[in-house]
Every structure is written in C-alpha cells, then in structure tokens.
Amino acid sequence: SGKTRTITARVVRLLEKGVAPNEILCLTFTRKAAREMRERIEKKMGEGAKKITISTFHALALDLLRTYPAICGRTKTFSVWDDDVQKNEIKSLIKDHPMSNTGGSEWISAKSVCTILDTLKETGEEIPSKAFYLALGKLDEYAWEIALAYEDLKRDCNALDFADLVWCLTNKLLGQDSPKRTEIQSRWSYVIVDEYQDCSVPQHQIVI
C-alpha cells in the first residue's frame, strides 16, 4: 500500500527541513521492513541518514535494556531466552514442583503457562497482579507458583525472554517512577511508526 514509501518521504522531508538525523526514530515490526526503510532513506539522503534510529520495537527495547539493565534487575550481559528455552525451563519447574508427585510431570501444561505469561506481558499487565492470578488460576490453582518461580529463575540467571523485552521497556524503563524515563524520552523529537494500527498496548505506550 506504499506505507514504507510514505514514511521514507516523511523522513526525507524532515531532513530537508534541517531536523538532525539523531532526532528521528522510525519503528516497525520486522527486521526486513526496518532494513528496507533504511535502504530507501539512505539511497535518497546518503551517509547523513545513518544516524537515524530505524528499528523494530523489540530491537529498540533490547538496545535500551542493555543500556539501562539495572532498572530490570539485570546486568548488561543478560541473555535472551528463546521460546524453546522458555518452555524447557518451565517444564523443569513443573517437574520439580511438589504437585508433580501426585499428577506426574503432565499435571500442568508448560505451553499453557508460557502462553498466559506472554499474553499478560503483551497486554502490559504487571507481574504479579490480579489479572496474573486470575489468568493462571483458570489453568490450575498452583500455576501461579510455577510462573513466579520462572520469573525468579530468569532474574537469578541474568536472563529475559522475548516477551520481556517490550514489557520491561514499557513497565520499567518508561514507567512513571523510572529515573531514566525523561532521559529516554528526550533522545528523539520525531517518532514515526510503520503499521501503527498493529501496535500492542505496550508498544503504544512506548510511542506515546
């Protein structure tokens, strides 16, 4: 539909009006789209456009969390667990839980715990919260113990999972009580979002 072309034209116009490249932040949802956007802008504006931040939401979150890791209780060398690691770690916690002695390792679904945690974070819920306990309670009365143990495990391992990235940026780094909120907000004067209608609640919070 030409949205990338429209965004490119908008950025070029800003640069032609004298806006500094490092004041512009362009956000999109895939690395392919971010790469295409950068190629188009640099083709029109040359080397000066390299200072524009063009990123996916998750890549931006990762970069900022590496810069300010202490806000999320991590160091800058934290690892990011993929879906397989997340599921395997939760499986281990389920197997080691006392309830596994009565129902075996399948008394609760690791996949279901992962899905609920990811969904809660994608909607910007606090962990834990009333919504956290209600959602996990529908799965099993002990499911919240597994979920909290998983959150503790990540902290002990200096790790985050994929769903944590945008969630931590929104709820921690850009939270109302964050000492880094103003510093981060002042980095860019212009924020341009591709496919804005597809933003989740946390992604919307990042933009505003």
Side-chain angles (χ1 to χ4, degrees):
S1 60
K3 287 184 289 296
T4 302
R5 183 167 54 190
T6 301
I7 289 173
T8 300
R10 168 65 173 159
V11 173
V12 169
R13 179 62 175 161
L14 288 172
L15 294 173
E16 289 175 342
K17 289 174 64 176
V19 174
N22 58 5
E23 291 186 60
I24 301 172
L25 169 62
C26 295
L27 290 170
T28 187
F29 291 89
T30 68
R31 286 178 291 181
K32 180 181 179 182
R35 183 171 60 250
E36 180 180 326
M37 196 180 302
R38 179 169 294 283
E39 289 172 351
R40 290 190 181 192
I41 294 171
E42 290 183 0
K43 184 176 181 180
K44 286 184 174 294
M45 301 304 295
E47 291 294 312
K50 290 185 180 297
K51 293 183 179 180
I52 298 172
T53 301
I54 302 174
S55 175
T56 65
F57 280 94
H58 286 87
L60 176 70
L62 179 59
D63 180 62
L64 290 172
L65 290 170
R66 293 277 189 215
T67 305
Y68 309 102
I71 297 293
C72 293
R74 306 297 194 269
T75 70
K76 64 180 180 180
T77 58
F78 69 82
S79 57
V80 180
W81 290 351
D82 63 20
D83 292 346
D84 288 338
V85 175
Q86 178 192 40
K87 186 176 179 180
N88 288 336
E89 293 295 346
I90 289 179
K91 274 187 176 181
S92 295
L93 291 169
I94 290 170
K95 187 175 181 180
D96 292 340
H97 191 278
M99 279 299 296
S100 66
N101 294 326
T102 60
S105 60
E106 297 301 319
W107 64 274
I108 188 172
S109 164
K111 182 178 180 180
S112 296
V113 174
C114 292
T115 299
I116 290 172
L117 276 175
D118 288 352
T119 300
L120 287 167
K121 290 172 182 175
E122 287 166 3
T123 54
E125 290 290 344
E126 290 289 339
I127 305 294
S129 64
K130 182 178 180 180
F132 169 88
Y133 290 112
L134 286 174
L136 288 159
K138 293 177 182 179
L139 181 61
D140 185 273
E141 63 179 311
Y142 295 102
W144 65 270
E145 294 182 356
I146 301 296
L148 289 183
Y150 173 65
E151 295 300 315
D152 289 342
L153 177 64
K154 285 186 294 180
R155 185 180 60 251
D156 293 343
C157 293
N158 194 34
L160 296 171
D161 60 34
F162 193 68
D164 286 326
L165 298 179
V166 169
W167 183 85
C168 281
L169 175 57
T170 305
N171 290 43
K172 303 296 184 181
L173 280 182
L174 295 178
Q176 292 295 330
D177 298 328
S178 171
K180 301 299 181 181
R181 176 184 171 90
T182 301
E183 181 179 335
I184 294 170
Q185 288 178 326
S186 66
R187 289 179 64 171
W188 299 284
S189 301
Y190 298 87
V191 180
I192 303 170
V193 185
D194 187 22
E195 303 287 359
Y196 179 76
Q197 74 279 359
D198 292 334
C199 284
S200 64
V201 172
Q203 289 167 340
H204 173 70
Q205 291 298 318
I206 289 169
V207 173
I208 64 172

